[in-house]
Amino acid sequence: MKASPSEQGTGKVDGTEPWWRGAVGYEIYVRSFADSDGDGMGDLAGITSRLDYLSWLGVDALWLTPFYPSPGHDHGYDVSDYCAVSPRHGTLDDFDTLVSEAHRRGLRVMVDIVPNHTSIEHAWFSRARSSPNGPDRDLYLWADPAPGGGPPNNWRSHFGGPAWSLDEASGQYWCHLFLPEQPDLNWRNPAVRDEFDSILSWWMDRGVDGFRVDVAHGLVKDAELRDNPQIAPITDGMDPFDAFGAFEHRYDMDQSENVEIFRRWNQVCAPRQAMLLGEVNAPWPGRMARYVGPGALDQAFFLRAAFLAWAPETLLTMVRAMHDAAPQGISWVLSNHDRSRPVTRFGGGEAGVRRSLAVSTLFMALGGTPFLYQGEELALADGVLRGYHDPVSVRNAGATSGRDGCRTPMPWDGSAHNGFSASEPWIAAERRPPEETIAGQQADPDAPVHRYRTLLAVRRQHPDMWRAPLEWIDAPSPQVAALRRGTVAVVANLSERPTGVSLGSPGWEPAFASQPGCRLGSPAHDTVSVPPETTIVLTRVGESFTA
Ligand code: TEU
């Protein structure tokens, strides 16, 4: 039975709005969040033991990365059983406890569904591979070699090399947009669609509140398996992600039929108020918006901001365009488990910290459901590694630094292994100093965790910040964005200089500034002066909250 969360968070179930309206999400990279049994690997019971911290922080929903049985070639994104828990991460009982303890605190729980591919060890693939003429063969994408031999077309794996591997027994290739150990499902086959309807229902029956949909843009492939146009040369030793980007992905990704699948999923999930949140990596805002059109996905992550180095003008231009194409449909993220942390990407040190919170503050005012990635609230830079773990790095002999830097253990305190585990963590990294830990920051009122917590509290206090219609205000430079939503105004000055922005009317006062110690003009003025690389949230006089 689905437990009913209390109304403590901002997500309301009042019959008129879905729970995720106004909510703030938090991504838990399960392997690295908290280890309860001392084997160096994060687990579900570890998460349960840390729920009070997440309530204190003020988030409303948790997204758990895959914890299903998996041989672990892609750290859980190669699932061998969609309806079970890997012993590495606990048991189904641990999952049920986590859900009920989260709900008791008003926290929603979302799980990660990986529909583009299974593990090579999934029973479906074993059957498909061993019986080329059997009924399960078409659950996957098989193709004969190209006329002169070799892979059927020029599609590449995200993780390096061709997107095809040869099954010598049958002489056919299987398709994999990721590792060979992650064979792609054939979403043109109705049997695949039926299986996933059941998987979604199975998790909803266990009480989950929604799904993060992995590689939602990748499911359906061109029926004729045509070559992708190549737009740049590929050189020896190139980063595999760059080699992947050397093609226009006209035929392997973002096919229109993907949206039909999510319309079908919506029919399964909407009656049970479960959110569908897609990882959609489509090239243009208009194409992204199709996925969150009525009756399809509820929201999609806008990943480009999570990939970008510090480039304020580019960032603000794409954020405005994406917002305007789907005002309630975007889940704003600056960080996830696949890319360098924003503090590092944005220049490191104090500049990285300042810039990250300035952008996050803007994201909290864009509608949609923003997500923080574990440790973002501590303003962590990437961890200092002692070796490679990510298959992307291992497979490409270090040609890419891979995704390990953002996956190091959550630093709970200054003790051995930062309180993550009683033994050596699965990923080898340097211990963080006390001021980068939760315990250290909770004890210091000026530490980042308190700024993020205050920001979430201000958002909860002023629902206009996400609910009122958004009007962009003219800004004096392309490195500045300003907006007004009812009784709330936000000015993001991402430039290196102080800037003044006219809000069009007097009577505003600051509710939150991303930098401590900002001095703001008097409420009598209609112009707000904002320091460099700072975002300010203002409210109508009389509506303010003491930050
Ligand atoms: O990542 C998907 C991913 O790598 C793409 O979004 C990619 O960035 C895009 O297609 C453009 O190249 C997800 C998971 O987050 C990641 O951890 C997994 O390794 C991957 O899927 C495979 O499941």
Side-chain angles (χ1 to χ4, degrees):
M1 276 301 290
K2 186 159 180 154
S4 174
S6 78
E7 296 306 304
Q8 175 193 320
T10 49
K12 283 181 287 307
V13 184
D14 60 6
T16 55
E17 285 186 309
W19 67 257
W20 53 90
R21 283 283 291 134
V24 174
Y26 188 93
E27 178 188 352
I28 293 184
Y29 189 66
V30 175
R31 296 172 74 91
S32 299
F33 190 68
D35 171 23
S36 69
D37 59 3
D39 64 355
M41 175 67 68
D43 50 41
L44 300 176
I47 299 170
T48 305
S49 74
R50 299 295 187 174
L51 290 174
D52 285 339
Y53 164 70
L54 298 166
S55 294
W56 173 84
L57 181 62
V59 296
D60 304 291
L62 313 177
W63 147 31
L64 311 180
T65 56
F67 50 78
Y68 316 109
S70 161
H73 292 289
D74 189 18
H75 294 167
Y77 282 94
D78 47 324
V79 179
S80 52
D81 181 351
Y82 288 91
C83 297
V85 173
S86 163
R88 228 184 252 132
H89 301 300
T91 63
L92 267 176
D93 280 348
D94 292 341
F95 181 79
D96 293 342
T97 304
L98 167 54
V99 170
S100 65
E101 286 297 309
H103 284 177
R104 204 163 61 74
R105 293 165 174 82
L107 294 164
R108 307 282 179 161
V109 178
M110 301 177 68
V111 299
D112 208 319
I113 283 291
V114 187
N116 179 68
H117 44 266
T118 68
S119 159
I120 198 167
E121 291 185 20
H122 197 290
W124 299 337
F125 190 75
S126 305
R127 292 202 294 266
R129 187 174 189 174
S130 60
S131 310
N133 300 314
D136 291 333
R137 182 72 168 180
D138 285 342
L139 293 174
Y140 293 85
L141 286 166
W142 299 95
D144 293 331
N153 66 19
N154 70 354
W155 297 356
R156 306 260 320 170
S157 153
H158 285 72
F159 295 163
W164 297 95
S165 288
L166 180 63
D167 170 45
E168 290 188 358
S170 66
Q172 284 197 307
Y173 285 80
W174 75 86
C175 179
H176 52 86
L177 289 187
F178 294 88
L179 295 173
E181 295 84 0
Q182 294 170 297
D184 282 16
L185 287 161
N186 173 14
W187 275 92
R188 294 183 184 277
N189 182 344
V192 170
R193 299 181 184 215
D194 290 343
E195 290 285 0
F196 274 84
D197 289 353
S198 308
I199 293 165
L200 295 171
S201 296
W202 194 87
W203 285 105
M204 288 188 291
D205 289 346
R206 289 208 100 83
V208 310
D209 301 293
F211 302 93
R212 179 265 188 184
V213 185
D214 190 57
V215 198
H217 52 286
L219 308 195
V220 180
K221 274 74 174 183
D222 179 48
E224 296 167 44
L225 304 178
R226 282 171 279 189
D227 276 351
N228 282 323
Q230 188 162 355
I231 51 181
I234 294 181
T235 51
D236 279 350
M238 199 172 187
D239 184 309
F241 289 113
D242 293 338
F244 190 80
F247 292 85
E248 180 199 325
H249 292 277
R250 192 184 294 176
Y251 297 116
D252 57 343
M253 299 201 306
D254 192 26
Q255 305 299 292
S256 302
E257 293 95 331
N258 289 335
V259 180
E260 283 169 25
I261 291 163
F262 299 123
R263 288 192 197 292
R264 173 176 172 135
W265 284 21
N266 195 297
Q267 303 281 312
V268 178
C269 293
R272 304 181 69 174
Q273 298 198 22
M275 181 186 197
L276 285 171
L277 169 54
E279 184 206 30
V280 180
N281 203 336
W284 312 113
R287 293 199 67 86
M288 287 283 293
R290 285 166 38 255
Y291 287 81
V292 293
L297 294 175
D298 296 299
Q299 288 184 28
F301 284 118
F302 181 60
L303 293 175
R304 294 181 69 192
F307 294 176
L308 209 63
W310 186 241
E313 184 172 342
T314 311
L315 177 73
L316 292 180
T317 304
M318 62 195 198
V319 163
R320 270 187 294 244
M322 189 64 257
H323 169 273
D324 292 351
Q328 306 291 342
I330 295 302
S331 175
W332 299 94
V333 276
L334 198 49
S335 191
N336 66 22
H337 65 282
D338 285 337
R339 297 288 159 146
S340 209
R341 289 183 177 274
V343 169
T344 301
R345 277 186 289 119
F346 289 172
E350 284 181 16
V353 172
R354 181 171 67 237
R355 293 165 177 175
S356 302
L357 185 51
V359 178
S360 292
T361 305
L362 173 66
F363 282 5
M364 292 291 158
L366 294 179
T369 305
F371 268 71
L372 296 175
Y373 172 53
Q374 66 184 47
E376 193 174 345
E377 74 278 19
L378 305 175
L380 294 183
D382 285 345
V384 178
L385 299 164
R386 289 189 262 119
Y388 291 127
H389 297 270
D390 183 358
V392 184
S393 321
V394 174
R395 185 174 145 95
N396 293 281
T400 173
S401 55
R403 304 167 292 179
D404 290 328
C406 60
R407 296 177 173 183
T408 57
M410 187 70 170
W412 294 97
D413 57 43
S415 68
H417 315 306
N418 286 129
F420 161 74
S421 173
S423 61
E424 199 62 45
W426 68 275
I427 183 168
E430 300 297 326
R431 198 197 306 190
R432 304 254 186 192
E435 64 275 16
E436 292 182 18
T437 68
I438 291 166
Q441 292 203 6
Q442 283 185 317
D444 171 5
D446 292 330
V449 79
H450 293 286
R451 306 300 302 157
Y452 280 88
R453 181 169 183 253
T454 302
L455 174 60
L456 300 189
V458 167
R459 182 178 147 104
R460 188 176 311 120
Q461 180 95 0
H462 298 284
D464 271 11
M465 194 167 163
W466 49 267
R467 200 191 336 234
L470 183 150
E471 302 162 53
W472 296 106
I473 297 172
D474 282 343
S477 127
Q479 300 189 347
V480 178
L483 62 90
R484 192 176 154 173
R485 308 189 83 119
T487 58
V488 172
V490 177
V491 180
N493 175 17
L494 304 188
S495 78
E496 289 173 351
R497 277 176 285 283
T499 192
V501 172
S502 167
L503 300 175
S505 59
W508 297 91
E509 60 188 355
F512 179 80
S514 62
Q515 281 288 96
C518 278
R519 282 226 188 83
L520 299 166
S522 86
H525 295 288
D526 71 349
T527 298
V528 59
S529 167
V530 187
E533 300 181 340
T534 301
T535 297
I536 282 178
V537 179
L538 303 113
T539 55
R540 281 289 191 191
V541 172
E543 314 250 357
S544 81
F545 174 86
T546 310

